[in-house]
Amino acid sequence: MAAALIADVLIPLALDTAYSYAVPPDLPVAEGDVVQVPLGTRETIGVVWGLREGGGANLKRLTAVIDAPRLPDRLRRFLDWLAHYTLAPRGLALGLALRVPEGGRAETVRIGVRATGAQPKRITPARARVLAAAAGGLVHLKRDLAQATGVSASVVEGLIDDGVLETVALAPEPVAEAPDPDHRRPALSPAQRAAAHVLAAAVATSAIARLGPEEPGSSARTTPEGDDGRVSSRAGEGSPRPDLPPTGGGLRRHGSAPVILLEGVTGSGKTEVYFEAVAEAVRRGRQALILMPEIALTAQFLDRFAARFGVRPAVWHSGVGARKRERIYAGVAAGEVQVVAGARSALFLPFAGLGLIVVDEEHEAAYKQEDGVCYHARDMAVVRGRMEDCPVVLASATPSLESRVNAERGRYKRVTLPERFGGRSLPAIAAIDLRREPPPRGRWIAPSLVAALRATTAAGEQALLFLNRRGYAPLTLCRACGHRYHCPNCSAWLVEHRFRRALICHHCGHVERRPDACSQCGTLDALVSCGPGVERIAEEVATLFPDRRSIVLSSDFPGGTERLRQELKAIAEGAFDIIIGTQLVAKGHNFPRLTLVGVLDADIGLTSGDPRAAERTFQLLQQVTGRAGRGEKSGRALVQTYQPEHPVMAALLSGDVERFYEEETRAREAADLPPFGRLAAIIVSASEREQAEGHARAMAVAADPPPGVMVLGPAEAPLALIRGRYRFRLLVKSRRQVDLQSYLREWLFRSPKPRGSVRVAIDVDPQSFL
């Protein structure tokens, strides 16, 4: 008789402990199964995190095993690692990876049409074209048939009503077809071939290693490791060694899969290079994950993938419908979906045999999750790659300082592409000193940039104006009384959006109509818009160039991500002469006709207290100026600045990238800032300011930092009020060798427990200091 079993079930709630349930004798269950269990007075879903022998007479019983993909052992250990590193409850970490099919959700049925052989009651030229296209008995989608014949959908509908066409239910569209690694091999430059060989060899070596026999329990070797070298397969029993957290080598591996930094100038063809690594993974029967900032998942990228592999990859981002996400999730778990291109959440898919992870634009701040479980997808991709024994490729023209230092110290391999593909030259970059050549009063574009725009568009080429500020104006005030419009829920000004005739808070979403009279003093027509946003620049462009086609690209316009993708496609096809955009235009897009970039306020990111301000500004400006000259014609960039002598501007103008990284590295090392030291932010918030401040001060009293650790604060956050909650921050700064997670846990244990509306959030390796 089989021994009775107890299942430890982790539930996707803010809980760190798995609950124990008795397993009914007639219910087959395995670790990783998704199960239904009683919790209090209700039934809920969880995952079997462990099985052990035991009676369990006093335990509640598992109710059922859910028909959902099993979470693999490597993924469960990765989630344990993530929770341990970020100090998040394990249940919240599980919530990132768990997706349960919603019962009763019907698959959207696709409808096609085909000819019946009947003749229409009347014939018109439009109907004749449709009948000719439908001849032969093939099934066509109604939309495709109408587009192919140049008729409206009503013409097709009329033929259906006449019985000339009949409707046919089609099978669901496959989430992703099998890519062909040899569909169309590209003509690579010698530098690209050499880089591709390094990446493909790493994939092949890893795949061969995975085919070899593993010792029993050997998968547990890829685990967090403490300073004393103890290895633990359970979260909480050790601590990641904080080398260059968490990508600094604080994991033991039984495989040899490397992390490779693929660094190439803008336009050097990095995508084609890592496509060869993807091809090698597919040849070896392994799966590949390509992580990208969500807005970079454009039709242009998907078309480039299809041109190389014959089909598009499975796509995973917030715009994918729920039912399609379920099918992709199941296909990934079954190993049927071989390549996924996705936003940061794709990192938590249950891959059956992951053979490669690519993090494109690895320097992007968009990879940081700022709420819930605070993690950096780039760093966690490195961790998952090591747990899966698969190579990780970090690709960027402007790598993060952390990745550069890891490469310099031998933790990562570094592969470089120093020149643009096809011998194209990098854009010539020049500064416009606004102290000597300011724009006319009430304008924001300097005269020399206006002249460059006029010459560029007259030649039939495209120009980009970059300003990293959404809306029309960042501040609205009254000339009569000086009243400034600010958000009632946040310590932030309301941004005017003239296209929507509204004042909007970019932090909580508060919206109010822009009044005609000052709400404070009642004076009519006294409100003034201060400073420019992209909408104001668009207004100026329309005045200066009334005969040119212009478009504004901004993430807050109606239509969301899908609208932006369509607009980016239209720009690439040459539908617009002048593009005005925020930072989203810098995210790896390729506009072949674009030859001029104008940066309107290059100093905008240099005034914050962020220790990464210089690095981020340099990366952003290098990326956006790199949009110019990627086609047949050379490009140039003009940068409007009040500080042309600033080290960031000097490096950008001279093209001396190495000098910038060297100076920034020395400054960070001298200050013990990441990647040479470690940071963790503690954010205390409450609905009353006194409660937040009081709890933050009580935590500071209990801090008791050991040698090598410094606790700064509490101080009111730069954004002191967000969504009606007052915020105070403490910052923990430590040496790299300190076990920061253990100290934070001990500190939280000593600190008073939050009461009432008080909330305490922890952000290890913070990217935002607001």
Side-chain angles (χ1 to χ4, degrees):
M1 182 176 177
L5 291 177
I6 294 174
D8 295 322
V9 177
L10 189 61
I11 296 169
L13 299 173
L15 302 168
D16 200 50
T17 304
Y19 289 99
S20 298
Y21 293 88
V23 179
D26 58 345
L27 186 64
V29 66
E31 292 184 353
D33 278 346
V34 181
V35 294
Q36 182 177 327
V37 294
L39 183 67
T41 59
R42 63 189 177 92
E43 295 284 322
T44 190
I45 300 298
V47 174
V48 177
W49 225 248
L51 284 171
R52 51 194 167 91
E53 293 185 359
N58 298 323
L59 297 177
K60 293 182 178 180
R61 290 189 164 201
L62 290 182
T63 305
V65 176
I66 303 299
D67 184 14
R70 180 179 295 167
L71 265 64
D73 174 66
R74 293 173 189 261
L75 176 56
R76 298 197 313 277
R77 289 187 292 106
F78 171 58
L79 296 175
D80 277 339
W81 200 99
L82 171 70
H84 180 80
Y85 189 86
T86 62
L87 275 72
R90 288 196 296 164
L92 287 185
L94 171 61
L96 297 172
L98 184 60
R99 178 164 291 273
V100 179
E102 296 185 22
R105 183 192 294 276
E107 180 77 64
T108 302
V109 179
R110 298 190 305 152
I111 301 297
V113 295
R114 67 183 171 195
T116 63
Q119 295 301 311
K121 297 175 182 177
R122 61 186 181 87
I123 192 71
T124 64
R127 286 186 162 201
R129 292 198 302 273
V130 173
L131 290 176
L138 296 177
V139 178
H140 305 265
L141 289 173
K142 287 193 292 185
R143 179 191 61 220
D144 293 347
L145 186 58
Q147 288 179 350
T149 55
V151 303
S152 66
S154 62
V155 174
V156 179
E157 294 287 353
L159 290 171
I160 294 172
D161 294 340
D162 285 354
V164 179
L165 298 176
E166 65 178 352
T167 59
V168 180
L170 301 177
E173 188 176 5
V175 292
E177 298 178 55
D180 179 1
D182 300 308
H183 173 72
R184 183 179 296 167
R185 296 195 178 193
L188 301 177
S189 69
Q192 285 179 308
R193 281 197 300 273
H197 175 75
V198 173
L199 270 58
V203 172
T205 302
S206 172
I208 293 170
R210 285 289 295 270
L211 291 175
E214 291 189 355
E215 302 171 17
S218 64
S219 61
R221 295 183 185 179
T222 308
T223 52
E225 176 184 302
D227 283 336
D228 59 359
R230 291 180 296 108
V231 177
S232 166
S233 61
R234 290 177 52 198
E237 287 188 1
S239 175
R241 177 181 295 166
D243 285 330
L244 293 186
T247 62
L251 292 171
R252 290 177 182 252
R253 295 175 289 152
H254 71 279
S256 58
V259 181
I260 302 173
L261 176 61
L262 177 60
E263 181 178 354
V265 298
T266 55
S268 58
K270 295 181 290 296
T271 302
E272 285 70 23
V273 168
Y274 71 66
F275 275 176
E276 296 311 296
V278 172
E280 186 64 27
V282 173
R283 288 190 194 99
R284 301 277 176 175
R286 312 299 296 170
Q287 294 168 298
L289 169 62
I290 304 172
L291 290 179
M292 307 183 76
E294 183 162 332
I295 191 55
L297 278 166
T298 59
Q300 188 181 67
F301 170 80
L302 299 177
D303 289 344
R304 288 171 73 181
F305 187 95
R308 172 63 181 84
F309 295 97
V311 297
R312 287 186 169 195
V315 178
W316 184 274
H317 56 74
S318 61
V320 177
R323 178 56 183 153
K324 188 170 184 180
R325 287 165 74 95
E326 289 176 9
R327 293 173 58 209
I328 294 172
Y329 187 91
V332 167
E336 297 167 358
V337 173
Q338 292 182 276
V339 182
V340 176
R344 63 183 180 227
S345 58
L347 183 62
F348 302 99
L349 288 170
F351 288 94
L354 192 56
L356 173 68
I357 301 175
V358 176
V359 185
D360 203 354
E361 307 292 347
E362 65 89 29
H363 65 280
E364 271 291 335
Y367 284 122
K368 177 70 175 186
Q369 171 76 25
E370 298 284 2
D371 54 11
V373 182
C374 296
Y375 69 91
H376 199 298
R378 177 199 64 218
D379 298 345
M380 293 303 111
V382 171
V383 174
R384 184 160 191 192
R386 286 176 172 168
M387 289 189 172
E388 298 279 355
D389 286 328
C390 75
V392 178
V393 176
L394 308 178
S396 177
T398 54
S400 63
L401 196 67
E402 287 85 349
S403 295
R404 287 276 300 222
V405 170
N406 274 326
E408 289 168 3
R409 298 195 171 188
R411 295 186 178 98
Y412 297 171
K413 291 184 178 180
R414 185 184 179 205
V415 177
T416 59
L417 296 171
E419 297 178 351
R420 281 189 162 181
F421 179 75
R424 298 183 180 94
S425 60
L426 289 167
I429 304 175
I432 298 175
D433 190 341
L434 294 177
R435 297 169 300 185
R436 300 177 179 177
E437 189 191 345
R441 184 177 179 84
R443 296 285 177 87
W444 311 98
I445 307 175
S448 58
L449 180 52
V450 171
L453 287 167
R454 185 167 287 114
T456 299
T457 55
E461 300 162 10
Q462 290 177 314
L464 167 66
L465 293 177
F466 170 74
L467 177 63
N468 199 22
R469 189 181 286 138
R470 292 179 288 161
Y472 184 85
L475 171 65
T476 301
L477 60 79
C478 175
R479 286 179 297 187
C481 68
H483 174 65
R484 301 183 178 192
Y485 282 80
H486 60 84
C487 177
N489 308 313
C490 306
S491 53
W493 297 333
L494 292 175
V495 177
E496 180 183 356
H497 286 251
R498 189 157 292 187
F499 291 173
R500 297 171 60 180
R501 295 182 56 81
L503 301 175
I504 301 175
C505 176
H506 287 171
H507 301 285
C508 72
H510 171 81
V511 180
E512 59 186 64
R513 183 182 175 277
R514 187 182 190 277
D516 297 321
C518 175
S519 57
Q520 192 76 8
C521 68
T523 305
L524 281 168
D525 299 325
L527 300 185
V528 178
S529 302
C530 300
V534 286
E535 293 177 17
R536 196 168 199 171
I537 300 304
E539 186 178 84
E540 184 173 346
V541 166
T543 302
L544 292 170
F545 307 100
D547 57 338
R548 299 302 181 195
R549 302 163 298 172
S550 63
I551 185 173
V552 177
L553 292 181
S554 181
S555 59
D556 52 10
F557 280 9
T561 303
E562 189 54 41
R563 174 179 179 269
L564 280 171
R565 291 193 179 99
Q566 294 298 323
E567 291 174 339
L568 290 167
K569 181 180 179 182
I571 293 168
E573 293 171 351
F576 298 95
D577 305 307
I578 301 176
I579 303 103
I580 303 108
T582 59
Q583 64 177 343
L584 64 87
V585 300
K587 299 183 187 298
H589 307 303
N590 185 36
F591 305 134
R593 297 173 175 84
L594 185 69
T595 59
L596 173 67
V597 171
V599 178
L600 299 185
D601 190 351
D603 310 322
I604 197 170
L606 296 174
T607 56
S608 72
D610 186 341
R612 294 183 178 89
E615 178 190 1
R616 286 177 172 164
T617 300
F618 176 77
Q619 289 167 339
L620 183 59
L621 295 180
Q622 185 85 339
Q623 290 279 346
V624 74
T625 55
R627 298 312 101 196
R630 296 166 72 98
E632 296 302 322
K633 297 184 178 180
S634 60
R636 59 173 174 152
L638 297 176
V639 180
Q640 295 186 174
T641 175
Y642 286 99
Q643 307 177 69
E645 69 284 348
H646 191 284
V648 169
M649 300 304 161
L652 182 72
L653 297 171
S654 67
D656 193 349
V657 175
E658 293 302 321
R659 179 181 175 184
F660 170 78
Y661 276 111
E662 289 171 6
E663 292 179 354
E664 189 68 11
T665 299
R666 281 197 298 270
R668 296 265 195 96
E669 189 169 17
D672 281 333
L673 288 171
F676 304 99
R678 305 194 64 195
L679 295 176
I682 313 293
I683 302 98
V684 180
S685 65
S687 56
E688 299 293 334
R689 186 182 186 280
E690 293 75 15
Q691 291 180 357
E693 183 177 14
H695 191 85
R697 291 191 180 281
M699 287 190 69
V701 170
D704 191 22
V709 176
M710 180 186 303
V711 176
L712 306 173
E716 195 169 47
L719 281 173
L721 179 68
I722 294 183
R723 297 183 181 91
R725 296 186 65 82
Y726 294 88
R727 306 165 71 246
F728 281 79
R729 295 178 63 100
L730 298 107
L731 186 67
V732 182
K733 183 170 179 280
S734 78
R735 295 173 184 165
R736 193 179 63 190
Q737 295 78 13
V738 170
D739 184 351
L740 183 58
Q741 277 76 6
S742 292
Y743 166 68
L744 291 172
R745 284 186 174 85
E746 293 168 2
W747 180 17
L748 292 173
F749 180 78
R750 292 192 302 268
S751 298
K753 299 298 178 283
R755 298 181 182 276
S757 67
V758 175
R759 300 287 182 270
V760 177
I762 302 167
D763 186 358
V764 178
D765 305 326
Q767 297 288 310
S768 171
F769 294 83
L770 298 178

